[in-house]
Amino acid sequence: MLKLQKGKAIIDQHDKHYLYGGKFGGNFVPETLKKPIEDLTQLFQKLRYDKKFIKERDYYFKTYVGSPTRFIKLYNLSLHLEGAQIYAKVVSDANGGAHKIYNAVVHALICKHAGKKYIIGDTGAGYAGKMLSMAAKKFGLKCKIFMGTKDMARQKVNCDAIRKNGAEIVPVDSGSKTLVDAVSECMRYWVSNCDTTHMCVGSTVGPNIFVKICAWSTAQISRELKVQLKEEFGEIPKKLKLINCVGGGSSAIGFWNEFMDYDKKQVEFIGVEAGGPKNSKLHAAPLTYNAKLGVLHGAAQYVLQDKDGQISETSSISAGLDYPGVSPLHCFLKDTKRARYTVATDEQALEAFKLVSQLENLRPSLEPSHAFAEAIKIAPKLSNDTVIVVDSCGDALKDKKIIEKRLGKLIWQH
Amino acid sequence: MAALISLAFLKAKLEKRPALVSYIVAGDNNKKLTLNILKSISQYIDILEVGIAHNTAVADGVQIQNSSYRALQGGIKVKDVFEIVKQFKKIKKNKPIILMGYYNQVLQYGENYFLQKCKNSGVDGIILVDLPFPENKSFADKCKKLSITFIQLIAPTTSTIRMKQIIKNSQDMIYYISMLSTTGGKLKVSAKSILNNYLKIKKIDPKKNIVIGFGITTKTIASLKKADGLVVGSLLCKSISQSLAKKRNPLIQLNKIVRTLRNKIQ
């Protein structure tokens, strides 16, 4: 069985081919991208140990992102479920309304340090794109966002925001017209323009360096949480469960990073993938449903595919989770058994949204609603000295139309 | 017996011209058409590249994406690609064929099984777009053992040190990507600067046959005829698209194009 190393950041636990556990990740890229990726790898390696750069990052995380985000107890939900104590890390407090801002800010800073004026990125739910356009505006960079036309239709609120920030949206009308095609198109654009343009991958996917930068950026979430847990409990609770939704897996890695070395009996990681519509065979849950190892967007990972290696179509109510693959880091965490993965269906996520938003002053977007669904499922069975923390990594404003359609307009009146 | 790919270069050299290499996607828009196209254009073409369509290709431009899309819509499977090669080789056993695809397709078949199928159907060479050096070392070795040419790629971004390593680890044929682009982009650098880079690579090991691809059309081909070989892909895919849109048999137009290309490099 694969093993995690203690005392070493998970992003650095790869071999010389940048593979985690000898099989996940790597750089399966066209020759043209080898050099830009190598340059970026070297630059990031230098910057991440540069005190000045860290100071710069922390400055913008504090003054621009708004760190730390709140850590709150969900009293009503805990009372209602009569089991574990449920908390939320309200990452959606961050500027822009989701965790994607951490990665976006770091990429914009790197882009500046690389002396490049153009930045491009992919987006599914529109958050990664919105945040990148914000960061680009903040740091004076020209920005293009690649987005599937299906996602553009269902996440119009974020599209408007992207354009308002002065970025251009490049509609991607090929294949399933969602995130997977947006990432492909963005990579193609980078192949053609890598001499002048910096690429940001919106999650912990893609060639190794993008997995690293993204996980390194979102780790801010668990750095804050660790302090907040100690403030609340005086120590890290003896029975702690950290529940996070997993699409590409960037928020989950960030939410768990600082707790990797804890015994899983003390700090359990639960990743919740998109189970798709209740009565459909389609989903976006490669880990839960044991998808085969394959190569997608430059990295080896468990990915939904057919026998011939064609990537399968996925379905989820949540655009942010609608991706056939998953971060190599999560594949590694699955195989080392450090984290366990499960699914929530579209309907369960909607029910969870309904319950949480009715009982609490919190409106998690459809992505974290998947995580809440799992919390709601397991909390009643757990002792009341168990602490569940759900990463509420996005705000539901962007999902207003979908939620109204499925749950009725009255849902917003609480 | 010398490899067919090497012989093709030798033959072109004797005729004092670059080898003409074509690329079309297998199964665009059906298996039979692909076989007919290969049979027909092979009278002008020295080496035939056959693409295995992939639905998350990261290096293909719009023309090849369209071809791949049609092929996948038509239900093409990897096993059909082998069958097309096998049928073609029954008629023209001395015309070299190179399969071009993405690594996931090989991975899902299993490297060894994939290579066995290549051998059985008569494939002469393999290009894997997203399996660069040094990640491709073990697979390239397996190819060599079976006398299948694994074709390494060099890009304008490849450093000189890396170039030397790649060339050292290459077999007889190397593919030089002319510019920073996906396939089928407009030639955005001058033929002179492409040839300068080409000569730099050539100097490292003059014995290797280096082909130039990306952005080659009837307009640009003559300016690059100093190369050992020239690859034309998107132009052919585009022609297929246009013929299909007009409900015409793509063979007619394709034959015209490859004949023109050939004339321009004579």
Side-chain angles (χ1 to χ4, degrees):
Chain A
M1 198 182 91
L2 294 181
K3 266 195 171 152
L4 278 172
Q5 293 170 51
K6 288 203 170 170
K8 188 178 186 182
I10 187 170
I11 56 171
D12 295 323
Q13 295 187 26
H14 54 69
D15 63 16
K16 66 174 177 171
H17 291 307
Y18 296 94
L19 294 168
Y20 298 100
K23 61 197 258 204
F24 305 117
N27 288 315
F28 296 90
V29 295
E31 175 63 22
T32 309
L33 291 184
K34 269 279 181 179
K35 180 75 166 54
I37 281 175
E38 197 187 300
D39 290 349
L40 184 58
T41 304
Q42 280 174 9
L43 178 65
F44 179 64
Q45 196 62 14
K46 205 181 90 196
L47 290 175
R48 65 187 273 211
Y49 297 111
D50 177 356
K51 283 191 183 128
K52 251 174 77 189
F53 183 74
I54 302 286
K55 229 174 130 180
E56 204 181 353
R57 176 198 70 179
D58 291 345
Y59 171 78
Y60 288 110
F61 276 5
K62 196 166 173 204
T63 60
Y64 179 66
V65 174
S67 153
T69 59
R70 282 175 301 153
F71 172 64
I72 57 169
K73 180 158 186 190
L74 304 178
Y75 284 100
N76 298 332
L77 187 65
S78 303
L79 274 174
H80 175 79
L81 296 170
E82 293 180 15
Q85 305 302 306
I86 306 175
Y87 287 74
K89 172 77 176 142
V90 193
V91 175
S92 57
D93 280 349
N95 193 4
H99 66 286
K100 297 283 183 198
I101 191 71
Y102 300 107
N103 188 43
V105 166
V106 170
H107 270 285
L109 285 172
I110 293 173
C111 180
K112 277 192 85 92
H113 278 270
K116 290 181 174 172
K117 289 194 183 77
Y118 301 91
I119 195 162
I120 55 167
D122 57 80
T123 198
Y127 269 138
K130 177 181 154 188
M131 307 303 178
L132 193 64
S133 68
M134 282 167 58
K137 193 178 169 195
K138 170 91 183 159
F139 295 102
L141 302 164
K142 284 227 163 85
C143 179
K144 272 187 212 281
I145 301 296
F146 294 79
M147 190 169 186
T149 47
K150 183 178 167 192
D151 289 338
M152 285 175 72
R154 61 178 164 171
Q155 308 280 223
K156 193 175 168 302
V157 178
N158 278 344
C159 290
D160 295 344
I162 293 169
R163 292 198 180 99
K164 226 175 118 187
N165 290 327
E168 179 194 340
I169 299 180
V170 182
V172 180
D173 206 30
S174 53
S176 59
K177 309 177 201 310
T178 60
L179 180 59
V180 65
D181 310 290
V183 179
S184 300
E185 192 59 32
C186 187
M187 284 183 80
R188 284 184 207 115
Y189 184 88
W190 200 42
V191 168
S192 304
N193 299 280
C194 55
D195 48 346
T196 56
T197 304
H198 175 77
M199 180 170 79
C200 165
V201 176
S203 188
T204 38
V205 299
N208 177 264
I209 186 58
F210 297 102
V211 174
K212 268 189 167 169
I213 293 174
C214 185
W216 185 82
S217 309
T218 53
Q220 176 68 14
I221 303 169
S222 53
R223 274 198 297 276
E224 291 173 15
L225 179 62
K226 209 169 181 183
V227 175
Q228 289 164 326
L229 281 168
K230 284 180 182 163
E231 277 169 5
E232 176 81 11
F233 302 103
E235 59 175 357
I236 302 301
K238 290 282 173 289
K239 290 181 207 165
L240 178 63
K241 296 189 188 302
L242 302 180
I243 308 181
N244 209 122
C245 59
V246 174
S250 60
S251 67
I253 280 292
F255 190 52
W256 297 344
N257 187 63
E258 293 294 311
F259 302 94
M260 288 291 165
D261 286 355
Y262 284 82
D263 192 297
K264 70 175 174 190
K265 283 184 196 133
Q266 183 183 357
V267 184
E268 190 187 10
F269 300 159
I270 304 167
V272 187
E273 297 186 295
K278 190 168 60 183
N279 295 321
S280 160
K281 276 188 184 151
L282 295 178
H283 55 84
L287 295 173
T288 309
Y289 295 127
N290 300 316
K292 269 186 79 184
L293 186 71
V295 172
L296 173 64
H297 294 140
Q301 62 200 275
Y302 292 126
V303 52
L304 301 168
Q305 57 182 320
D306 68 12
K307 274 187 197 152
D308 255 18
Q310 305 294 350
I311 304 305
S312 307
E313 209 173 309
T314 55
S315 175
S316 169
I317 191 169
S318 143
L321 304 182
D322 209 351
Y323 187 68
V326 64
S327 176
L329 295 172
H330 285 291
C331 300
F332 191 39
L333 287 174
K334 184 194 173 188
D335 276 20
T336 54
K337 298 200 161 67
R338 179 63 189 92
R340 79 171 171 88
Y341 296 88
T342 182
V343 284
T345 61
D346 289 359
E347 291 75 12
Q348 287 166 330
L350 283 164
E351 278 306 307
F353 169 81
K354 197 167 149 188
L355 191 64
V356 173
S357 61
Q358 278 172 350
L359 291 175
E360 303 287 345
N361 186 22
L362 186 69
R363 282 187 323 199
S365 67
L366 289 171
E367 290 81 13
S369 290
H370 284 72
F372 277 109
E374 177 66 12
I376 290 163
K377 191 167 124 194
I378 63 172
K381 297 177 224 158
L382 296 167
S383 60
N384 66 6
D385 62 343
T386 304
V387 175
I388 290 177
V389 189
V390 178
D391 178 0
S392 194
C393 57
D395 181 84
L397 187 63
K398 70 166 178 76
D399 297 324
K400 196 166 180 221
K401 250 171 91 180
I402 304 167
I403 292 170
E404 277 180 359
K405 198 174 154 201
R406 298 288 295 261
L407 298 174
K409 287 196 176 184
L410 287 173
I411 193 81
W412 296 98
Q413 289 178 0
H414 291 278
Chain B
M1 190 187 86
L4 292 179
I5 292 176
S6 307
L7 283 176
F9 283 112
L10 195 65
K11 184 175 156 251
K13 245 166 226 147
L14 288 174
E15 293 174 15
K16 294 197 169 52
R17 61 173 179 87
L20 188 57
V21 186
S22 66
Y23 171 95
I24 56 164
V25 176
D28 176 16
N29 61 351
N30 63 60
K31 291 180 268 184
K32 203 174 143 211
L33 178 62
T34 302
L35 185 60
N36 285 338
I37 291 174
L38 291 175
K39 280 194 263 183
S40 170
I41 63 174
S42 62
Q43 55 183 315
Y44 304 106
I45 299 289
D46 300 290
I47 300 170
L48 298 155
E49 278 181 21
V50 175
I52 310 174
H54 187 37
N55 69 356
T56 50
V58 292
D60 292 334
V62 61
Q63 300 304 341
I64 293 179
Q65 279 183 57
N66 286 340
S67 279
S68 296
Y69 182 76
R70 281 193 299 264
L72 291 169
Q73 288 297 99
I76 191 80
K77 297 276 183 271
V78 179
K79 68 172 174 24
D80 303 324
V81 182
F82 289 125
E83 191 53 37
I84 291 170
V85 176
K86 203 171 179 176
Q87 294 301 328
F88 175 80
K89 285 281 186 168
K90 274 186 189 160
I91 307 153
K92 298 212 169 183
K93 70 175 172 42
N94 290 328
K95 191 64 82 176
I97 286 206
I98 292 171
L99 288 190
M100 186 162 179
Y102 286 79
Y103 183 55
N104 197 40
Q105 299 164 313
V106 178
L107 189 66
Q108 297 318 315
Y109 245 72
E111 288 186 354
N112 296 335
Y113 186 57
F114 186 89
L115 285 172
Q116 206 49 57
K117 294 288 277 185
C118 285
K119 199 70 208 162
N120 293 345
S121 52
V123 170
D124 299 281
I126 297 175
I127 299 175
L128 292 179
V129 181
D130 59 347
L131 192 67
F133 178 84
E135 283 83 356
N136 61 29
K137 260 173 130 173
S138 116
F139 185 72
D141 283 347
K142 285 182 186 178
C143 289
K144 203 171 174 182
K145 273 188 195 131
L146 290 169
S147 305
I148 293 170
T149 307
F150 183 82
I151 294 131
Q152 298 279 3
L153 293 121
I154 290 176
T157 46
T158 311
S159 67
T160 313
I161 303 172
R162 197 175 148 74
M163 243 180 228
K164 283 181 183 159
Q165 291 169 332
I166 293 175
I167 292 168
K168 204 175 146 200
N169 280 278
S170 69
Q171 289 173 254
D172 184 45
M173 175 176 167
I174 293 168
Y175 192 124
Y176 177 62
I177 298 164
S178 65
M179 57 179 173
L180 297 184
S181 171
T182 50
T183 53
K186 211 172 161 223
L187 208 55
K188 57 183 182 182
V189 283
S190 70
K192 202 178 150 196
S193 89
I194 294 172
L195 281 173
N196 275 344
N197 275 339
Y198 167 84
L199 289 171
K200 225 169 83 188
I201 307 166
K202 194 75 191 163
K203 229 168 114 184
I204 297 172
D205 186 348
K207 290 194 299 294
K208 305 276 180 179
N209 289 303
I210 301 166
V211 300
I212 301 176
F214 286 37
I216 293 176
T217 62
T218 42
K219 281 202 182 95
T220 55
I221 195 162
S223 61
L224 294 164
K225 67 179 183 186
K226 274 188 196 153
D228 295 327
L230 296 166
V231 189
V232 184
S234 292
L235 180 69
L236 306 184
C237 293
K238 188 177 170 185
S239 162
I240 297 176
S241 295
Q242 286 169 341
S243 297
L244 289 174
K246 289 180 198 152
K247 298 203 164 33
R248 285 189 193 146
N249 186 348
L251 270 180
I252 305 159
Q253 194 57 26
L254 273 179
N255 266 325
K256 252 192 217 165
I257 294 174
V258 290
R259 199 169 54 226
T260 310
L261 289 166
R262 181 68 184 262
N263 284 335
K264 297 226 169 173
I265 54 169
Q266 286 297 9

